[in-house]
Amino acid sequence: MSVELSSPDLKTDEMIINMGPQHPATHGVLRLILTLDGEICKHVEPVLGHLHRAQEWQGQNRTWFQYQALIDRVDYLSGMYTSWAMARAAEQIDGLVVPKRAEYLRVILSEMNRITSHLLWLGTYLIDLGAMFGFPFYPFREREKLFDLFEEVAGQRMMFNYIRIGGVLRNPPFGWFDKLKRFTDEFPDRIDEYEAIVTENPIFLKRTKGVGILKKETAMAYGVTGPCIRASGIPLDLRKTKPYSVYPELDFKVQTMDGDGDTWARYMCRIREMRESNEIIRQAIEKIPGGTTEELRKLLGTTGPEKDESKDLDPSFLLMAKKQNAGLRVKAGEGFAAVESPRGTIGCYVISNGSDKAYRFKWRNPSFCNLSVLPELLVGAPIADIMAIFGSIDVILPDVDR
Amino acid sequence: MFALVGRSIESLYQVARGLKTVFKHTVRPPITKNFPDDMPDLPGHFRGRLALAVNPQTSEHLCISCLQCERVCPDKCIQITSHKSPETNKPELIEFKIDHGLCMFCGLCTEVCPTSCIINTNDFEMADYTRESLVYDLKRLTLSQDESAHYFAKKELPMPKPKPPKPAAKPAAPAAAAKPAEDKPEAKPEVKAEAKPQDLPAAPAPESPKKEEQ
């Protein structure tokens, strides 16, 4: 996109400006070196690495059991997905079959996590655009409800450490499924509210329509994944294109947008995905083997959690296919697994040599690949649009730098 | 011209629709919680401050100094000092230190604990003025009998067996049996565990004089 803000009479020198690393709208510490001609961006160079924590190296120096607790912190807004990618890679090496109930719990909790991630994006994106009239806190209201549910089942609000190699940690407490059901019933109305405020708002449309157009070819060339590529019209969603876990049993559609793939399309794609995730959760609650925790306990004739793991149980009701202890080992071999996170494809490649530590970890993080397309989008855009475009690709800087 | 008028009316309608939603919220009951006045109702599995439980029935300390939590801690924030009791030939706890300034509240120590001694409490208000005061010693970590009973019920933990008067069949026995089985495959961590105590006493040593100064 090009804006005619300068004429040949008003020739000015190019100016280099640093945006960040301490810029309130860069969602972390990203430095953008902008070369400006007047208002127009001529060249952009993102400088990464301020948050580098050597996550891959740490994976090779910690036991499997310890690394499971750490890996949630890579992408702190969607911790379930990084755990899931690593768990699937390790299960692939071990040849484990995860029990059905555990798979359903994984799907439910990670779809909840997708909703919380998109809700936070929605709130902060509107702050980026300057919508400070209190709206950013509407999404946080729903997010808070989901976090309370996470806290009950996993123990913490964002650093879950819930998905483990071979299953999940524990059954949700009594009443948890009812609360979640109530949430899924009321959540579509809440999305309607957000949409009433934002979607057709003329100011919002002016800021986002036709801004930051990501063409199909560019998106494919740069390896963009997640809502960004789906907003450009490519139905790439690992849940459908390379189904894993119990997603084939659930009925949902890949949300793609027709048209240019501008920032508005990326916004709309995420809104639709939230509705779709809500539907997935609703279906998964219906289909989960063993039903709610109350029903499961009644089935087993126990009141405490100690029988949840007993051997004489229907194998699909179990939670864990591998014993969790400090000396957790994975067979020698190598495995790769990818899951569809709120930001795109998280890939985990791991080589194990059979000891209690991994030999090598390699992560494919969606934020890093999505960020690489940023210079393409920003060249030719005025300064005022930079944050609108950057916010719309939804990167998490710890996920970029690892 | 007509298109412009039409667009303006459409825009005004959309803004009004948004504002209606916003104004609807002004009459809704507040959703925020008055935090210091009404405390959140936390679930039993909430991973808060670490503490050491005592036997809810007999008030005996549950720690058997198996050092599993110290070994599994990814942050190395647990430091246990124990010695072999000359009478019973079993390890005996002397000091237990947790640096909550280092702890990342992953809860791995509570998972590996064979006697459910170390637990995550629901306490999260731990703000303090110095880093030294975040290092909790055995006295500050140990819960009272009532508190232990409360958390054992809330977390649905199995009740520990009371220690028999004769030390021969302590609850330490199953843990001791479990430990060698784990030690064999864990050849490398074992070396580390030996190396670590040399490093660790050096670090807290400068801290302790500071405490005395205070």
Side-chain angles (χ1 to χ4, degrees):
Chain A
M1 157 168 165
S2 66
V3 181
E4 290 299 320
L5 290 178
S6 58
S7 70
D9 312 335
L10 295 167
K11 190 113 182 82
T12 51
D13 287 341
E14 286 189 345
M15 190 198 235
I16 293 177
I17 280 189
N18 278 309
M19 193 172 242
Q22 271 90 35
H23 192 274
T26 52
H27 303 221
V29 276
L30 175 72
R31 177 171 162 220
L32 295 174
I33 302 173
L34 307 171
T35 311
L36 301 171
D37 180 13
E39 280 257 318
I40 307 294
C41 210
K42 288 281 173 208
H43 182 255
V44 182
E45 193 188 336
V47 181
L48 317 173
H50 291 92
L51 265 175
H52 182 59
R53 292 161 294 166
Q55 288 286 359
E56 287 171 6
W57 182 86
Q58 293 199 27
Q60 294 149 29
N61 286 280
R62 290 172 180 227
T63 62
W64 289 95
F65 191 58
Q66 290 174 338
Y67 194 48
Q68 286 183 112
L70 185 79
I71 202 61
D72 284 334
R73 276 123 171 116
V74 172
D75 180 354
Y76 52 80
L77 291 182
S78 51
M80 285 284 173
Y81 291 94
T82 26
S83 310
W84 200 359
M86 176 187 150
R88 282 191 62 218
E91 283 153 13
Q92 201 180 26
I93 300 173
D94 257 359
L96 289 175
V97 179
V98 180
K100 260 285 164 60
R101 188 176 169 84
E103 287 281 20
Y104 268 96
L105 280 171
R106 283 178 177 190
V107 167
I108 291 174
L109 279 137
S110 32
E111 291 302 327
M112 283 163 65
N113 204 340
R114 189 186 305 275
I115 292 178
T116 58
S117 174
H118 283 347
L119 283 176
L120 183 124
W121 170 82
L122 181 60
T124 51
Y125 184 54
L126 286 159
I127 294 180
D128 286 353
L129 290 178
M132 292 286 268
F133 60 93
F135 172 72
F137 297 102
Y138 292 8
F140 276 56
R141 174 188 53 192
E142 269 66 62
R143 197 165 167 265
E144 203 65 18
K145 282 180 190 163
L146 283 177
F147 274 160
D148 286 347
L149 293 175
F150 277 130
E151 199 173 69
E152 279 182 36
V153 60
Q156 260 178 24
R157 295 156 62 82
M158 290 169 91
M159 306 303 158
F160 312 108
N161 195 10
Y162 181 67
I163 294 181
R164 302 292 179 86
I165 296 170
V168 294
L169 182 60
R170 63 170 77 88
N171 262 320
F174 284 1
W176 189 85
F177 282 100
D178 295 334
K179 283 184 204 165
L180 183 58
K181 214 158 182 216
R182 236 173 292 141
F183 175 83
T184 53
D185 289 340
E186 65 171 32
F187 188 55
D189 299 341
R190 297 283 180 260
I191 303 180
D192 289 343
E193 278 184 4
Y194 312 148
E195 287 216 73
I197 301 174
V198 180
T199 307
E200 293 294 329
N201 185 299
I203 306 169
F204 184 73
L205 287 180
K206 275 267 180 230
R207 293 291 313 269
T208 53
K209 272 272 183 190
V211 172
I213 291 171
L214 178 60
K215 291 204 181 66
K216 267 185 197 181
E217 297 77 38
T218 323
M220 279 159 78
Y222 276 87
V224 174
T225 45
C228 294
I229 201 167
R230 292 197 283 275
S232 297
I234 300 169
L236 174 74
D237 188 331
L238 287 187
R239 292 175 293 172
K240 273 279 187 228
T241 50
K242 247 187 182 175
Y244 54 95
S245 188
V246 289
Y247 280 116
E249 297 173 19
L250 302 165
D251 176 35
F252 65 99
K253 285 194 211 76
V254 178
Q255 299 298 328
T256 51
M257 300 293 297
D258 305 329
D260 305 329
D262 52 5
T263 48
W264 189 83
R266 290 195 275 278
Y267 156 81
M268 206 57 215
C269 190
R270 291 202 176 90
I271 292 276
R272 289 190 187 171
E273 261 182 33
M274 281 199 274
R275 290 187 197 273
E276 209 59 48
S277 290
N278 199 41
E279 284 305 310
I280 294 175
I281 295 173
R282 204 198 296 252
Q283 288 174 35
I285 297 174
E286 298 290 324
K287 286 189 178 172
I288 185 165
T292 62
T293 314
E294 291 91 330
E295 286 164 8
L296 182 74
R297 295 268 167 89
K298 207 182 277 174
L299 218 64
L300 305 179
T302 54
T303 51
E306 64 273 4
K307 283 280 169 63
D308 287 359
E309 294 291 320
S310 65
K311 286 282 186 305
D312 51 332
L313 199 62
D314 184 339
S316 66
F317 294 172
L318 288 172
L319 293 180
M320 201 66 95
K322 193 178 177 79
K323 201 158 180 285
Q324 293 289 312
N325 55 22
L328 184 75
R329 271 149 196 279
V330 173
K331 283 178 200 161
E334 54 186 279
F336 175 82
V339 293
E340 184 71 25
S341 92
R343 273 160 208 88
T345 304
I346 290 184
C348 175
Y349 175 68
V350 54
I351 305 176
S352 165
N353 55 5
S355 76
D356 56 351
K357 284 174 190 165
Y359 177 73
R360 180 78 170 91
F361 262 104
K362 180 84 187 88
W363 287 94
R364 187 255 185 232
N365 288 55
S367 297
F368 180 74
C369 299
N370 290 0
L371 187 72
S372 65
V373 84
L374 188 68
E376 289 274 334
L377 296 180
L378 289 187
V379 169
I383 292 184
D385 281 348
I386 288 177
M387 275 310 136
I389 296 167
F390 176 62
S392 74
I393 59 173
D394 188 20
V395 296
I396 291 291
L397 262 296
D399 194 26
V400 174
D401 297 335
R402 299 193 286 290
Chain B
M1 182 64 197
F2 283 117
L4 187 68
V5 172
R7 242 191 9 244
S8 314
I9 292 173
E10 167 71 13
S11 301
L12 281 175
Y13 168 70
Q14 292 298 348
V15 171
R17 200 159 73 103
L19 281 179
K20 196 183 125 203
T21 317
V22 174
F23 283 124
K24 221 161 64 186
H25 275 80
T26 55
V27 292
R28 279 192 186 162
I31 49 159
T32 45
K33 290 168 191 155
N34 297 326
F35 158 60
D37 297 332
D38 49 347
M39 295 291 280
D41 182 23
L42 293 169
H45 291 299
F46 177 76
R47 299 204 294 266
R49 176 174 75 82
L50 290 168
L52 301 176
V54 296
N55 191 327
Q57 283 141 359
T58 59
S59 84
E60 274 170 323
H61 208 283
L62 287 174
C63 184
I64 52 170
S65 313
C66 66
L67 306 188
Q68 290 211 48
C69 48
E70 184 181 300
R71 212 174 304 156
V72 82
C73 181
D75 297 331
K76 310 286 173 215
C77 69
I78 302 176
Q79 190 197 347
I80 301 171
T81 321
S82 64
H83 72 121
K84 228 172 204 177
S85 161
E87 302 130 31
T88 60
N89 215 14
K90 288 264 155 46
E92 214 175 55
L93 189 66
I94 299 170
E95 181 57 282
F96 200 111
K97 273 187 185 163
I98 297 182
D99 187 350
H100 277 102
L102 284 177
C103 180
M104 69 171 183
F105 302 98
C106 59
L108 295 185
C109 48
T110 64
E111 279 174 40
V112 297
C113 185
T115 56
S116 311
C117 174
I118 184 163
I119 55 171
N120 280 113
T121 60
N122 284 1
D123 179 19
F124 57 90
E125 295 167 315
M126 297 163 59
D128 222 324
Y129 289 102
T130 58
R131 289 186 186 184
E132 287 76 27
S133 54
L134 283 174
V135 183
Y136 283 50
D137 60 3
L138 184 60
K139 206 176 148 211
R140 279 172 86 191
L141 282 172
T142 308
L143 295 173
S144 74
Q145 199 174 344
D146 295 340
E147 283 170 328
S148 305
H150 168 74
Y151 283 116
F152 266 74
K154 200 166 183 184
K155 288 175 187 286
E156 298 184 326
L157 293 171
M159 274 291 162
K161 287 177 202 125
K163 282 183 191 174
K166 277 182 191 172
K170 265 187 184 177
K179 228 173 87 180
E182 265 190 6
D183 281 353
K184 260 180 262 163
E186 267 186 334
K188 275 180 227 162
E190 189 64 352
V191 177
K192 266 197 170 177
E194 277 166 24
K196 187 165 38 90
Q198 294 166 1
D199 304 338
L200 271 179
E207 286 168 16
S208 40
K210 271 182 208 166
K211 258 188 188 171
E212 284 157 22
E213 281 166 29
Q214 288 167 5

